[in-house]
Structures are given as structure tokens and as C-alpha cells.
Amino acid sequence: MNLTLVALGTRGDVEPVVALGVGLKAAGHRVRLATAESFAPLAAAAGLEFHAIDGDLEGWMRGPDGVALIAAGMDPDAFADGFVDSLEIMAEPLLDATLQACEGADAIVCAMLVSPARHVAERLGAPFVAARFAPWGRLTELGGGPEPPLGFRARDLVARWRRRLGLPPEGEAEPAGPVLRAYSAAVVPGPAESVTGYWFLDRPWAPPPALLDFLAAGPPPVCIGFGSMPSRDPAALAELAMQALARAGRRGVLLTGWGGLGDAALSGEVLALEAAPHDWLLPRAAALVHHGGAGTTAAAARAGAPQVIVPFIADQLFWGRRVHALGVGPAPIPRTELTAERLATAIRAATDGPQVRSRAAVLA
């Protein structure tokens, strides 16, 4: 079969789809990945065909609009407005590129909550499969707080896409179809008929000598990184992380990512890296402090690493509460409530005593 996989977002949104593509290719299918141009090397390394679709989410998130959205914290209305605003900017180019990427596909898989891919599939007469990395529609039921109310603005965007595709207006209910729920039934309770487990992409990696030397020089460090989440003041957040590590009496690795953590005067007990593969680093860590993205939460669970989650937006509070309910980390600390002392207390709760680590090992 000729399959097109559509994804757009951060690395955590795209990398699991690449992993799915690798599995589908190994099963004998021809696979094309449609995503932002910045992920072309990732697709090439995985041996997948590639088609660029517009959407510089990294640039948008680093800009003033993205930083303002993240700073709004867990306000679901503000998040929904910002999310739809970002789609509005690229609505027509996104539709055109998705249509081109999906031409000739025998089936289309899409991992975006709001995307023209489903409507493109209808236009082309191709089966459509949705992929979900969180139990959207059940976050509140499962104790994760309110979900972003995408509401009429997203429906208006969908209506515009359908008009351009020559499709009739859609009813109130989203058409039913196959859904791949790419998370573990051991992490999210409930019916597991469509739960596939997580999709991980493991690749060889040569760690830099500085990291190997640091790991060999003392006990396992606490890794701190907020992935794709930007900060109004990255230097201040890095300094807060340094203070928390010192108060908790722990060595640390700061993962600076897209800019959530900035420059800081590092001590000999702290190493800064832009990034490192989770499957290599986390089994060597005492714990991971992170933003609660679905992919990062999954990687830490797989590695058996205790977790401290500092949620910024969207489903991150849900994952923080799941981690706490599973006993593999303390209660989440929303980014807007983070202090050095609260983070130090959470790090101590995650690393002092064997109970949390033993539960994390069982979950892994």
C-alpha cells in the first residue's frame, strides 16, 4: 500500500509518527511522511519518503505569539485561541501541501487534532485513520483538568477547508473512523481496544565525551529540560533549576532544547546540553524534570525514571497527574507556580528513598 502519514508540531509530535512509518515500511508498505521541512533529515534517516508541508511551529513558538501562549499557562481558552491563531496563519498553504502529499495514497494517517488531512482523504476517496498521543475527550474524566475548547473557530476553519476542496458542509458530529491511540494501557486506564502502546524511534547515538566524563564523575544526575516549551526569561528559569538542584543536593544535566532554559553560570555539579536521546540518557538518570509532553512522559516511563512534571499547556497537566497517580513522581507543579524551593522539594520526593524508583521500574 501507498501510505501518507501527516504530522505537524514539535519533535514529540513528529518522532512517534516516524516510528510508525518505520514499522509500516518494514511490513512492506510504501510510506511518505508529510510534515515541516525541518524534519526532512529525520525522515531521510528513517528511510521514509518526504513531503514538506508549511508550518514553522518552532519559529512561531519562539516568537512573541508563541511565548505569550505558553505564558498563559493552563488557561484552556487562551490555549485554544492561540492554537487556532497559529493554524489560521498557515491555513491555505497547509491545505494545499497536505493535498499534494496525499495524492495517490491508499490510506492517510494523521496525528494532528485539527488538520485538513481528514477532509483531503474524503476528497480523494482514501481511508482515513486518526492517531492520538493523549486520550483527548477523556482528559477531564481521568482527572487531567479542562480540555482546550477549540469550538466554533476551529469549525469555521474546517468549513473553509471543505469549501476549497468542493466538499459539502459537515454536520455537528465529527465522522467516526479508526483511531490509533498511541499510548500504553499501563499508563492510561480504560478500554484498550484501539490502544497500540507507545511508538518509539530508537537510533544509534554517540554521546559527547563531556557527557560521558560527567556521568562517570559522580552519582546519576537529575535531568531537567522543558523540550519545545519556550520561556519569557530562559536565563532565569535555568538559574531556578540550578538553585533547586543545589537545595536538593543533586547533580544535574540541563537540556536546553528550544530555549526554555538559557545560559547560567554552571557549577562543576551541572552540565548543559542542547539535547540527548531519551532512550540513551534517561536510564542513566536519577530522575527527569520536564514539561509533561506525551512523548517525554512515555520515554521516562519506559526508562524507569522517576518524573517531576512542570506542565505549561494543553495535555501536560493530565500527564503530570497520571505520573503522580501511578506513584512514579510527585504532584505536578504548574509552570506559573514554580519556585526553586518547590522544585527542590519535588526532586527530593522523586529521588530520596526507593519507593518511587521501584514503582517506576515496575511501570517500565
Side-chain angles (χ1 to χ4, degrees):
M1 294 178 67
N2 292 325
L3 304 174
T4 294
L5 312 184
V6 181
L8 193 64
T10 68
R11 190 179 188 92
D13 298 309
V14 176
E15 189 169 293
V17 179
V18 175
L20 174 64
V22 170
L24 291 169
K25 185 181 178 184
H29 301 291
R30 180 179 176 182
V31 182
R32 171 183 286 180
L33 176 69
T35 187
E37 182 68 45
S38 59
F39 293 107
L42 184 63
L48 306 182
E49 295 182 20
F50 179 78
H51 188 99
I53 56 177
D54 290 330
D56 180 13
L57 185 63
E58 177 177 352
W60 182 82
M61 289 184 71
R62 284 179 167 177
D65 292 338
V67 172
L69 171 61
I70 303 305
M74 300 309 300
D75 182 335
D77 294 297
F79 175 79
D81 284 343
F83 177 75
V84 177
D85 283 345
S86 69
L87 285 177
E88 289 276 10
I89 294 169
M90 55 187 179
E92 293 187 5
L94 178 60
L95 173 60
D96 294 340
T98 303
L99 181 59
Q100 293 170 9
C102 294
E103 287 177 348
D106 296 311
I108 298 165
V109 180
C110 180
M112 300 168 62
L113 281 177
V114 180
S115 166
R118 177 166 60 83
H119 315 287
V120 164
E122 185 178 341
R123 162 74 179 272
L124 297 176
F128 177 81
V129 179
R132 297 287 179 258
F133 303 133
W136 295 104
R138 299 184 63 213
L139 298 192
T140 303
E141 168 199 342
L142 294 169
E147 298 199 31
L150 296 177
F152 75 92
R153 293 191 58 207
R155 289 196 294 272
D156 180 63
L157 185 61
V158 166
R160 286 164 46 199
W161 281 332
R162 292 183 67 82
R163 284 195 298 269
R164 288 199 67 209
L165 291 168
L167 296 172
E170 207 170 37
E172 285 296 316
E174 182 174 322
V179 179
L180 303 176
R181 305 185 189 280
Y183 45 80
S184 171
V187 176
V188 180
E193 291 84 359
S194 60
V195 175
T196 68
Y198 290 110
W199 304 337
F200 292 111
L201 184 66
D202 295 333
R203 288 152 292 148
W205 186 68
L211 175 58
L212 292 175
D213 292 344
F214 181 79
L215 293 175
V222 172
C223 297
I224 302 179
F226 301 113
S228 57
M229 298 293 101
S231 173
R232 288 187 188 275
D233 192 342
L237 186 55
E239 182 60 33
L240 184 154
M242 294 273 292
Q243 293 176 12
L245 288 168
R247 293 183 187 192
R250 286 283 175 174
R251 305 169 71 221
V253 173
L254 300 187
L255 301 169
T256 57
W258 278 11
L261 292 171
D263 294 331
L266 302 180
S267 71
E269 296 298 298
V270 179
L271 177 72
L273 291 175
E274 182 178 352
H278 289 143
D279 59 287
W280 190 95
L281 181 62
L282 297 186
R284 298 166 170 84
L288 174 65
V289 178
H290 65 102
H291 57 300
T296 307
T297 304
R302 181 197 197 192
Q307 305 183 49
V308 176
I309 293 186
V310 180
F312 288 62
I313 55 171
D315 57 331
Q316 295 168 7
L317 179 61
F318 167 78
W319 294 115
R321 289 178 173 171
R322 285 305 307 150
V323 160
H324 183 46
L326 291 165
V328 298
I333 310 170
R335 170 65 186 95
T336 52
E337 301 173 15
L338 186 67
T339 65
E341 185 53 46
R342 292 192 71 180
L343 182 55
T345 300
I347 289 172
R348 286 193 293 267
T351 57
D352 291 352
Q355 294 88 353
V356 174
R357 180 160 289 279
S358 64
R359 292 191 201 104
V362 170
L363 180 62

